[in-house]
Amino acid sequence: MTTIRHVLFDADGVLQGIPGGYFHAAAPLLGEHTLEILALASEREHPLLAGDDDFLPVLAGVLREYGVEVPAADLYTAVWQNIEPATASLDLVRQLREAGYGVHLGTNQVRRRADYMRATLPYDELFDVKLYSCELGVAKPDAAFFQKAATRIGAEPAAILFIDDHLPNVEGARSTGMPAVHWRLVEGHDVLLGRLAEHGVAPA
């Protein structure tokens, strides 16, 4: 068995969340059609995850379809930029670094949100390698995301443990030989520590 020397973290649902969730953040602006609008916006956001196209005009188009007069920029700020890092997750990253592991970020993001995260969150200084799908040109769960991640990290996939809250992404990582843990913030960090221990990974 290859020894794990690196840990690759997803962002949303692992390192960070939206207080109260997407629905809670969007409902005051979108009203009764909140779920439908968010679902359609997510569907149309997906093709943009692997490129530089701006999501804001796409979101504006969804709002027009539903006759919602809220400016897309206001909704975007209230929802997609309403990011709350999880202190316990960031502490874990630091502890793993202190224990000698390489710690890295691997996240699906459109360019606008990736730029916002870089400007407002401590990830550039916290992680060794930062992997945003819009910069890699491929999004999870595509196996190419994890292959490119391993190349950027400079390690074999088997030496990298991936953590994500979305099961298809976990399965995508495993398809390349990269061990992966399925975990969500709501499960609590004691659960995550237990799953890391199953792979021989422990913080300092």
Side-chain angles (χ1 to χ4, degrees), residues 146-161:
F146 303 100
Q147 292 161 348
K148 287 189 174 185
T151 298
R152 295 281 186 93
I153 291 169
E156 293 298 318
I160 305 167
L161 180 62

Side-chain angles (χ1 to χ4, degrees), residues 37 62-70:
I37 292 172
V62 172
L63 295 177
R64 283 195 300 271
E65 288 184 35
Y66 279 86
V68 175
E69 296 182 358
V70 172

Side-chain angles (χ1 to χ4, degrees), residues 61-122:
V62 172
L63 295 177
R64 283 195 300 271
E65 288 184 35
Y66 279 86
V68 175
E69 296 182 358
V70 172
D74 291 353
L75 178 63
Y76 188 84
T77 298
V79 179
W80 282 267
Q81 291 185 352
N82 186 15
I83 301 171
E84 182 176 85
T87 300
S89 290
L90 303 193
D91 286 345
L92 175 60
V93 173
R94 296 184 184 99
Q95 291 161 7
L96 288 169
R97 178 192 291 281
E98 291 173 4
Y101 295 95
V103 288
H104 315 286
L105 175 67
T107 180
N108 282 352
Q109 302 294 339
V110 297
R111 171 64 65 179
R112 177 177 288 267
R113 195 162 187 254
D115 289 346
Y116 177 80
M117 288 169 60
R118 282 191 182 280
T120 62
L121 300 175

Side-chain angles (χ1 to χ4, degrees), residues 116-192:
Y116 177 80
M117 288 169 60
R118 282 191 182 280
T120 62
L121 300 175
Y123 297 161
D124 275 3
E125 60 192 51
L126 189 63
F127 291 100
D128 300 314
V129 177
K130 283 73 66 175
L131 304 161
Y132 293 87
S133 60
C134 59
E135 296 172 354
L136 280 185
V138 63
K140 300 176 291 184
D142 194 313
F145 180 98
F146 303 100
Q147 292 161 348
K148 287 189 174 185
T151 298
R152 295 281 186 93
I153 291 169
E156 293 298 318
I160 305 167
L161 180 62
F162 175 59
I163 305 169
D164 200 290
D165 67 320
H166 192 46
L167 188 56
N169 295 342
V170 169
E171 293 170 344
R174 289 173 178 165
S175 75
T176 70
M178 184 180 293
V181 166
H182 183 222
W183 176 80
R184 300 170 297 149
L185 274 170
V186 294
E187 295 181 81
H189 288 79
D190 286 344
V191 171
L192 176 56

